[in-house]
Amino acid sequence: MILPSRLPDPRLDACLRYGVTDPGASPDLDGVCRLVAGALHLEHVAVVLSAAGRGWVQAAVGWSPRDLGPVAAERRDLTPDPLWPAGAPLRRPDLDALLGPDAWGAVSAAPLITPGGTPLGVLVAASRTPRDWAGVPERLTDGAALIIALLEGCAASVGREQDRQEHAALARRLDRAILTARTFQSIADLTALPLDEDDGLRGAARLTAQLIGVDWAGVQFTPGDAPQGVDPWAGADPVPLTLPPGAGADPVVILDAGEGWTLPGGEPAAVACADVPGGAARLAFVRRGPAARWTAPDRQVLRDLVWALRHLLSFAAQRSALRGLEDQLQFALRSIPMILWVTDARGALVVAEGSALRGVPLRREQVLGHTIAEVLGDTLTFSGEPEDRGGGPERRQQVTLAGRVYDTHRVPLPRGGGTLGVAFDVTELVESRAQALQAQRHAETLLELTQVMGLSGSLPDVVTQALEVLLRALPGSWLVLWTREDARLRPLVSRGEQPEAIAQWQRQGVALSDTYARQLLAGETVQLDPVDVPPGLRDLGLHGALLLPVHGGDTLTVLGAYRREPLAWSPFERRLLSVAARVVQVSLERRDILAELSSAAVTDPLTGLGNRRAFEADLRAALDRGPLTLVTLDVDGLKQVNDTEGHARGDELLRAVARILGDVLGHGEGSVDRAYRVGGDEFCLLLTGPAREVPALEVALRDLPALGFPQAGASAGVARAPLDGQHPEVLWQVADERMYVEKARRRRRYRPRSDDTGG
C-alpha cells in the first residue's frame, strides 16, 4: 500500500519504523493473533492499524477484509483514547464500520500504543456467539503489549541490519581509504628519497597500479613516445598512447573499453592517463578486454594522484631548496665569522651556532639555557641605539664584545616566541673603514695643503693658511713653523691654541746648541710622546711634540706639532706630518725655483742687467707713472775686440760697460730705475728723475781704454717723455736716432783705425 503524503504524522513515522505499512505482510504478527485466538477460544483476532488517513488490518485470524479504507480509519474507535478502558464494549456502529454488517455475539479491543505514547490502532477480538468475557480484556491487553514488543524488536533488528550494512560499507571505504593513504604515503616517501624524477615517477606509477589493479602500467617521459613499462610490466611491449580526438586537455584522461581506444592489435581496452604537474611526463594505466572499465573510486584515485603529485613534487622541491639552504647555512656558519642565536620567550638561548663563538670565546654548551646578559655580562658594549630596518620588526645594532666588533640583526619570532638573531664579526671591516676614512682625510688634507702652498703671497701668509688646513686633521694640537735666524730657531708662524707659558718660551726661540736642535740640523725627526716630554715642560702644559726638518734652499725650516693632551702620536699622524713637511719643503723649493726662473726671464745672464723683455715691460710701466728719461747706449769697438782678442775678451768689455753703468747710476744724485742690455752691444737706461747722470756717464765711459780696451768707446742718445713722445716705440726710436747722430759725430772727430767699423 502506498500512503499519501500529508503533514507530519507520528503514527506514520512509527509504522515506517516498524515496517508495517502493507496489509497481510507481517507473519510474526499473524502468529501472535493465532496465539491470542487459541488462548481465548475466539474465531476472530485482528491487529487493526491506522495512519495517514487510512485504516488496515495488519494481521488477523479469521478476519476479512484487510483494507478498511479511509472511513474506518476516521472512526474514533480505531485509535482509542488512552483513557478508553481496556475491554470496553464497542458500539454497534463501530462494529459495522470495523467488522462489516454481520451479526457478532461478543467483541472486545485493546489499544496499541508505542513506548513513546503514539497510538497505532487496536487489537480486536470477536465471537459470533455470545460468551462470557471474564478475563478477556486482560488477555487482550497482554496481547497488545506483546505485539508492541514484537514490533519494537523488529524495528531494532532492522536498525541493526542497517547499521551492519552501513558499518560494512564504511569498513570497505575505510580499507580503501587506508590503502589509498598508504599508497600516497609511499609516493610521498619516494619524493623524499634522493632519487631523480624519472625513478620517482616509476615508483608512483607502480604503487598506483597496485592500488587500482591494472593489466599494464607505464610512464611516458616525452610527449609522442611510447610509455616505458614499470615493474612488474617492465618486460611487456610498450603501449602507444595515441588518444582519440576529443579526449580533452584534462590532466586526467579516462576512457573505458569501447570509447575509442584499443591496443595495437585492435583489442578493446580501457586506458587512464594522468599528467605530471609541471612537466611533460604522463602516467598510463591499461585494463584489457571489451568489458574493461574504470570505477568511480578508480577515477577518484587517479584525480587524487594528480593532486598528490602536484603537492608532493612541490614539497619535494621545497625540501630540496630547504636542504640547499641548510647546507648553505652550515657552510656559512663554518666559513663566515658569524653567530646565529635563538632565544625563547624568557630570553634564554636555545640555539647558538657559528664559528665566531670561538672568538668570544664561548662554547655552545656554556650559553644554552642562559640569557645573553647572564652569559656576557659587562663585556658587551652597545654602539648607539638599535636601528629600525625598513619600518619592520628587524633591529640592527653594532656591539663590541671581547675586543671584537659585531653587526647584529634581530627579529622577533611569531606569537611572542622569542628572538632570532645573527651577528657578523665586522672588526676588520670597521678597522678598514676607519683606515679608509683616515686615508681620505689624509688625502683631502694633503690636497688642500698642496693647493694652499701653491698660492702666491708672502711666505708667512701662505704658511699660516697651510697650518690652518693641517690643524683640522690634528685636534688637540698646535703647530709652529720654525726658521733659522743666526744661532737660533725662531717661530715664523704659529697656529692653534697653546698654553701661554709655552707660547712665551717658544717666542724666545731655541738655540742651535740644544739637543733637539742638533738632531734637526742633522736631518733627524724628533718625536716626543707623553712619557718623553721633560717634566718641566709637562708642568707648563706640553704633553707631546713631533718636529720634522724642512730643507728648503739654504735656510733650515722646521715643522713642529705639539700636544695639549697626553696622547701618543699615531702612525696616521706621523705619516700626515711627514708628508706635510715634504709638501712644505717642495713648496719652498718651488718658490725658490720660480723666483730664479722669474729673475732669469728678465735678466741678461752675461752682465746681470735687465734684458730686453724687462726693459720693454718697465718702459711701459714707467710711462704710465709719469715723466722719464730714456738713454740708449751703443758700445764702439766691440767687433774689433772680438776679432782680435776673442769673444771672451769681448764679453769682458760688455761686463765692464755694465759695471760702469751700475757705478754711475748707483752713485748719482737723481732717481734711477735700472740699466738694461737690450742687444749685443746695445744698452738702455730708464731714469725717472732729471737726466743728470748722462754727463757723468760720458765721463765714465772715457775710462774704457784705461781698463784695457784702447779701441773701445760708447755713443749715447737721450729721449724725454712726454716731451719727445709718450709711446714706448716712439720714445725708443727718438733715443736711437740721437744715439746714431752722436756715433756719426764721434766717427768724424776720431778718425777710425783700420778694421774698426764701430760695432
Side-chain angles (χ1 to χ4, degrees), residues 333-475:
L333 290 173
R334 291 191 304 269
S335 57
I336 299 177
M338 62 182 293
I339 301 174
L340 176 69
W341 78 87
V342 178
T343 65
D344 59 16
R346 299 182 301 105
L349 290 164
V350 295
V351 174
E353 299 287 348
S355 60
L357 281 173
R358 296 191 297 269
V360 176
L362 289 172
R363 294 192 304 274
R364 189 168 60 90
E365 56 271 16
Q366 290 179 287
V367 301
L368 296 182
H370 302 280
T371 65
I372 295 178
E374 292 172 348
V375 173
L376 303 178
D378 298 335
T379 61
L380 186 63
T381 303
F382 294 90
S383 303
E385 295 296 325
E387 175 188 353
D388 292 343
R389 301 293 290 178
E394 181 183 354
R395 296 293 184 269
R396 179 176 178 178
Q397 194 170 17
Q398 197 171 89
V399 302
T400 302
L401 177 62
R404 307 292 294 178
V405 181
Y406 296 87
D407 192 8
T408 64
H409 302 254
R410 294 173 294 160
V411 292
L413 295 176
R415 303 182 186 87
T419 302
L420 170 65
V422 62
F424 297 94
D425 189 341
V426 294
T427 306
E428 285 73 16
L429 178 61
V430 170
E431 292 176 351
S432 298
R433 287 177 177 172
Q435 293 174 0
L437 182 59
Q438 284 186 341
Q440 179 182 354
R441 293 174 179 171
H442 186 177
E444 292 173 350
T445 301
L446 293 179
L447 176 61
E448 190 174 359
L449 184 63
T450 303
Q451 294 171 345
V452 169
M453 294 303 294
L455 297 176
S456 60
S458 65
L459 181 61
D461 292 341
V462 174
V463 171
T464 298
Q465 297 182 56
L467 295 187
E468 287 286 357
V469 172
L470 193 58
L471 192 62
R472 291 197 293 268
L474 300 170

Side-chain angles (χ1 to χ4, degrees), residues 9-182:
D9 186 352
R11 294 175 299 171
L12 177 60
D13 294 339
C15 291
L16 291 173
R17 186 167 65 86
Y18 292 149
V20 288
T21 56
D22 294 325
S26 301
D28 293 338
L29 296 182
D30 290 341
V32 174
C33 290
R34 287 192 296 272
L35 179 63
V36 172
L40 298 178
H41 305 289
L42 296 174
E43 297 91 339
H44 299 280
V45 176
V47 176
V48 182
L49 302 179
S50 175
R54 300 188 63 84
W56 68 95
V57 177
Q58 184 67 34
V61 173
W63 208 281
S64 179
R66 290 284 183 172
D67 190 356
L68 304 179
V71 176
E74 291 173 359
R75 301 295 297 179
R76 171 185 176 278
D77 306 295
L78 293 181
T79 55
D81 192 289
L83 299 179
W84 180 42
L90 295 175
R91 296 183 298 276
R92 185 69 192 187
D94 299 330
L95 293 175
D96 292 343
L98 181 62
L99 307 177
D102 297 337
W104 298 91
V107 177
S108 183
L112 299 173
I113 301 174
T114 68
T118 300
L120 295 182
V122 292
L123 176 62
V124 180
S127 174
R128 292 187 179 277
T129 60
R131 58 167 296 174
D132 182 11
W133 286 96
V136 172
E138 291 80 2
R139 299 286 181 87
L140 286 177
T141 300
D142 294 339
L146 179 60
I147 290 172
I148 292 298
L150 180 61
L151 292 175
E152 284 290 334
C154 291
S157 177
V158 171
R160 285 193 299 272
E161 179 61 22
Q162 292 177 348
D163 290 344
R164 187 190 65 78
Q165 293 177 358
E166 291 177 359
H167 178 74
L170 181 61
R172 288 192 298 272
R173 290 197 300 271
L174 181 60
D175 291 341
R176 189 173 185 86
I178 291 174
L179 181 58
T180 302
R182 288 177 177 173

Side-chain angles (χ1 to χ4, degrees), residues 520-687:
L520 293 170
L521 287 172
E524 300 177 7
T525 298
V526 176
Q527 177 177 335
L528 300 179
D529 287 323
V531 295
D532 305 321
V533 177
L537 294 179
R538 279 204 304 268
D539 295 339
L540 296 178
L542 177 64
H543 295 281
L546 188 58
L547 308 173
L548 301 100
V550 179
H551 298 283
D554 298 330
T555 302
L556 173 64
T557 306
V558 176
L559 177 61
Y562 302 89
R563 290 284 202 203
R564 294 192 305 270
E565 300 174 356
L567 298 174
W569 296 100
S570 68
F572 164 73
E573 292 171 325
R574 291 196 301 270
R575 289 194 301 269
L576 177 61
L577 287 170
S578 177
V579 175
R582 289 196 294 272
V583 170
V584 173
Q585 176 180 336
V586 171
S587 178
L588 294 176
E589 293 174 348
R590 173 179 171 274
R591 281 175 169 268
D592 292 342
I593 293 173
L594 289 177
E596 293 175 359
L597 292 175
S598 178
S599 176
V602 295
T603 302
D604 176 47
L606 179 62
T607 63
L609 301 179
N611 60 13
R612 180 169 182 149
R613 180 184 293 108
F615 167 71
E616 292 176 347
D618 290 348
L619 176 58
R620 287 191 295 270
L623 286 172
D624 292 338
R625 289 194 297 269
L628 61 86
T629 300
L630 170 61
V631 180
T632 60
L633 182 71
D634 190 73
V635 178
D636 298 330
L638 176 61
K639 184 176 185 304
Q640 185 177 359
V641 172
N642 285 335
D643 293 342
T644 59
E645 300 182 41
H647 286 279
R649 186 63 176 165
D651 291 344
E652 184 59 34
L653 172 59
L654 293 174
R655 284 193 288 268
V657 173
R659 287 194 298 271
I660 292 173
L661 294 178
D663 291 342
V664 171
L665 298 180
H667 296 87
E669 298 178 359
S671 176
V672 179
D673 282 344
R674 287 185 65 183
Y676 307 88
R677 181 189 175 208
V678 296
D681 56 357
E682 298 177 9
F683 293 83
C684 290
L685 291 83
L686 283 179
L687 308 176

Side-chain angles (χ1 to χ4, degrees), residues 204-258:
R206 180 175 61 256
L207 293 171
T208 305
Q210 294 172 354
L211 174 64
I212 61 178
V214 298
D215 297 319
W216 186 88
V219 180
Q220 183 185 41
F221 294 104
T222 304
D225 293 346
Q228 301 178 13
V230 299
D231 296 332
W233 303 277
D237 294 334
V239 177
L241 272 184
T242 304
L243 300 177
D250 196 305
V252 178
V253 178
I254 300 175
L255 298 175
D256 291 332

